[in-house]
Amino acid sequence: MKTYLVTGGAGFIGSNFVLRERSNAKARIINLDLLTYAGNLMNLQSLDGDKGYVFVRGSIGDRKLVRKLLDEYRPCGIINFAAESHVDRSIDGPEDFIQTNVVGTFHLLDEARHYWEALPEREKSQFRFLHVSTDEVYGSLEPDDPPFREDTPYAPNSPYSASKAASDHLVRAYHHTYGLPTLITNCSNNYGPRQFPEKLIPLMILNATSGKPLPIYGDGLNIRDWLYVEDHCEALSLVLEKGKPGEMYNIGGRCEKTNLEIVKTICTILDEIFPDSPHVPHESLITFVKDRPGHDRRYAIDCSKIENELGWKPKESFETGIRKTIQWYLDNPEWVESVQTGEYREWISRQYGGESIG
Ligand code: NAD
Ligand code: DAU
C-alpha cells in the first residue's frame, strides 16, 4: 500500500481528504498538523484505531521532525494542505501567514528534495509533491473578464494570497531547478462539512440558526466560484495519480455567485427546515457591515485543463451541496461547540466589533 505524508490534515479540506483516502483504504496516511485554532482532531475521530492512519502534531517548518517522518515512513508523496488560510486574519496580522505559508512551505519543500534525491531510481520517478493552493493568487476579475486559466499572471492582493503565491513560486522553482516532481493545484472557494466558522458559509449557517446578525461585507456583490469540498478532494487524488510533474491545475465549480445570493439561499433553506423558528424569514438577519480592505471583487475559474486532461468533473451541484452542508452543521452540535472557543469569540469580537455577531 502507498504511504502519503499529508500536512494540515486536521483542517477543513485536509480532513475531508484524509477521510476519503482512508474510506477506501487507498493509502496509508501520516498526518502532520500543528493544530492551530483551525485544526481539530474531532474531524478525524472516526479514524481512531485505524492502523493505516498516523497523527503527528508538529509544524511543516520543523525540519528535523519532517526529516524524521520522511525517513521513518518512506512516503511516495507529500500533499501540502498546511497553511494559514483566512484572508481576514491575514489582514489583521500577516506574520503567521509568512511563517507558515512561505517559510514553512520552504522548509517542507527542501526536506522533500533531500529525501527525494536519495531515493532509488524507480521510487524517485514515482514520488510527487502536491501543493494545494488557491485561485486568489490570480487577483481580482472585472465583471466581463474571462475566468482564470493556468497561464493567467499572478497578481495577489491580500497578505494571505501573496503568501500563497510566494509558496507556489517556490514549489515551481524546485521543479525547474532540482527536478522535484511537483504538482500545484489552484482551487476556488470550498464549502462543506468541517469548515471552521470564520468563513462565509459556516458563519452564516450558525449565525442564522441562532438568530444572530448575518454580516455581509460592502454591497454583498463580490463574486466567488464555489466547489463542494469532496469534489475538490477527488480532483486532488486524480492530480496526484495522473497529473504531470511540473504542471499546475485549476480546480473550480463553474459556479459563480454573489455573497448575497449565497446568504439568501442559506436563509431560504433554513426557512424551509425551521418554518416555526422566530427568526423566519432568516433574511431579516442580514446586516451590511464595513467592507474587507482590498476586497477582491470577482474570482472565476477555467477548469478545462483538468477536465480535458484528467477527466475530472464536479459531482455536486451548489443546490445539493449547500443542503448537505447545512444538514451537517445541524447534525453536529458537539463539533460546533468545540470550535467556538474563547479564541473564536475573541476573533469575532475583533473582526465585527461586538459579541453579538458570532
Ligand atoms: P484550514 O485553515 O481549515 O486548515 C489548515 C490546517 O493547517 C489546520 O489543521 C492547521 O492546524 C494546519 N496548520 C497551520 N499551520 C501549520 C503548520 N505550520 N504546520 C502544520 N500544520 C499547520 O484550511 P483549509 O481551508 O482546509 O485549506 C487547506 C489548504 O487549501 C490551504 O493551503 C489553503 O490555502 C488551500 N485552499 C483553501 C480553499 C478554501 O476554500 N478553504 C480553497 C483553495 C485552496
Ligand atoms: O478562493 C479560495 C479562497 O477562498 C481560499 O484560498 C481561502 O483559504 C478561503 O478562506 C476562501 O477565501 P475568501 O476570502 O473568499 O473566503 P471567506 O469565506 O472569508 O469569504 C467569502 C466571501 O464572503 C468574501 O467575498 C468575503 C465575504 N464575507 C466573508 C465573511 C467571513 C462576508 O461578506 N462576510 C463575512 O462575515
Side-chain angles (χ1 to χ4, degrees):
M1 191 192 283
K2 288 181 172 178
T3 297
Y4 289 117
L5 174 63
V6 168
T7 71
F12 165 47
I13 306 174
S15 63
N16 279 286
F17 180 82
V18 171
L19 291 173
R20 181 176 191 278
E21 291 296 301
R22 287 309 303 155
S23 72
N24 46 27
K26 258 171 85 182
R28 180 168 70 138
I29 301 288
I30 316 304
N31 176 14
L32 172 64
D33 195 300
L34 189 56
L35 296 183
T36 66
Y37 74 93
N40 184 350
L41 285 183
M42 267 182 98
N43 289 342
L44 297 159
Q45 225 167 23
S46 60
L47 298 183
D48 283 354
D50 178 344
K51 291 197 167 50
Y53 170 71
V54 177
F55 176 75
V56 181
R57 184 174 192 183
S59 173
I60 54 169
D62 181 346
R63 293 185 75 128
K64 261 197 187 153
L65 176 61
V66 170
R67 194 175 314 149
K68 180 176 164 288
L69 295 178
L70 293 174
D71 288 344
E72 184 175 346
Y73 293 106
R74 316 295 303 162
C76 63
I78 298 176
I79 303 108
N80 183 29
F81 293 96
E84 290 292 336
S85 72
H86 186 34
V87 174
D88 293 320
R89 287 195 193 240
S90 83
I91 295 167
D92 188 51
E95 183 148 2
D96 286 349
F97 288 72
I98 305 304
Q99 281 312 327
T100 288
N101 301 0
V102 186
V103 182
T105 301
F106 160 69
H107 287 311
L108 179 70
L109 199 52
D110 208 44
E111 284 304 322
R113 169 171 78 92
H114 290 301
Y115 166 75
W116 169 76
E117 280 173 345
L119 286 174
E121 237 13 83
R122 200 167 149 266
E123 290 170 40
K124 205 171 167 186
S125 66
Q126 287 172 353
F127 182 84
R128 297 289 181 270
F129 184 102
L130 169 54
H131 179 63
V132 181
S133 192
T134 171
D135 60 355
E136 300 203 10
V137 297
Y138 298 119
S140 185
L141 294 168
E142 295 296 328
D144 296 327
D145 283 347
F148 302 131
R149 293 161 40 99
E150 286 78 1
D151 55 6
T152 301
Y154 274 30
N157 287 320
S158 71
Y160 162 69
S161 54
S163 68
K164 290 296 289 186
S167 63
D168 291 9
H169 289 322
L170 282 169
V171 173
R172 182 184 175 280
Y174 268 61
H175 174 73
H176 188 81
T177 305
Y178 304 110
L180 185 71
T182 61
L183 298 154
I184 301 175
T185 53
N186 296 86
C187 188
S188 60
N189 284 59
N190 283 218
Y191 68 100
R194 304 176 193 83
Q195 185 168 33
F196 193 82
E198 63 190 356
K199 308 279 171 75
L200 182 74
I201 288 185
L203 181 76
M204 296 299 160
I205 296 171
L206 297 180
N207 278 15
T209 49
S210 49
K212 290 180 177 165
L214 307 178
I216 297 199
Y217 298 160
D219 60 7
L221 299 181
N222 300 66
I223 292 173
R224 297 289 182 266
D225 172 76
W226 292 93
L227 180 69
Y228 192 63
V229 64
E230 285 179 15
D231 282 321
H232 184 192
C233 293
E234 189 173 7
L236 294 173
S237 292
L238 209 56
V239 169
L240 197 56
E241 234 172 88
K242 299 192 186 157
K244 195 167 156 239
E247 293 286 313
M248 294 168 63
Y249 295 90
N250 281 355
I251 305 172
R254 295 192 190 278
C255 174
E256 288 183 55
K257 292 195 184 291
T258 66
N259 295 335
L260 207 50
E261 279 180 85
I262 296 285
V263 176
K264 285 186 173 177
T265 303
I266 293 171
C267 289
T268 307
I269 296 172
L270 289 175
D271 289 351
E272 246 174 71
I273 300 178
F274 299 112
D276 300 328
S277 159
H279 312 306
V280 170
H282 289 86
E283 257 189 59
S284 62
L285 297 168
I286 289 177
T287 314
F288 289 90
V289 299
K290 178 166 69 62
D291 207 356
R292 170 185 283 175
H295 198 175
D296 284 339
R297 194 64 175 166
R298 173 177 167 238
Y299 303 143
I301 280 269
D302 178 344
C303 48
S304 43
K305 178 173 170 179
I306 188 170
E307 287 175 349
N308 297 337
E309 291 184 15
L310 306 185
W312 173 84
K313 265 208 184 337
K315 294 200 170 75
E316 208 70 57
S317 69
F318 187 75
E319 289 62 36
T320 56
I322 192 68
R323 281 179 188 274
K324 281 188 182 178
T325 305
I326 292 175
Q327 201 54 53
W328 188 87
Y329 282 90
L330 297 177
D331 291 344
N332 288 278
E334 306 83 20
W335 185 95
V336 170
E337 205 178 306
S338 81
V339 299
Q340 289 179 328
T341 57
E343 196 280 341
Y344 174 75
R345 286 196 295 276
E346 266 170 42
W347 160 253
I348 293 292
S349 148
R350 213 162 62 242
Q351 175 67 2
Y352 302 98
E355 275 296 324
S356 61
I357 292 236

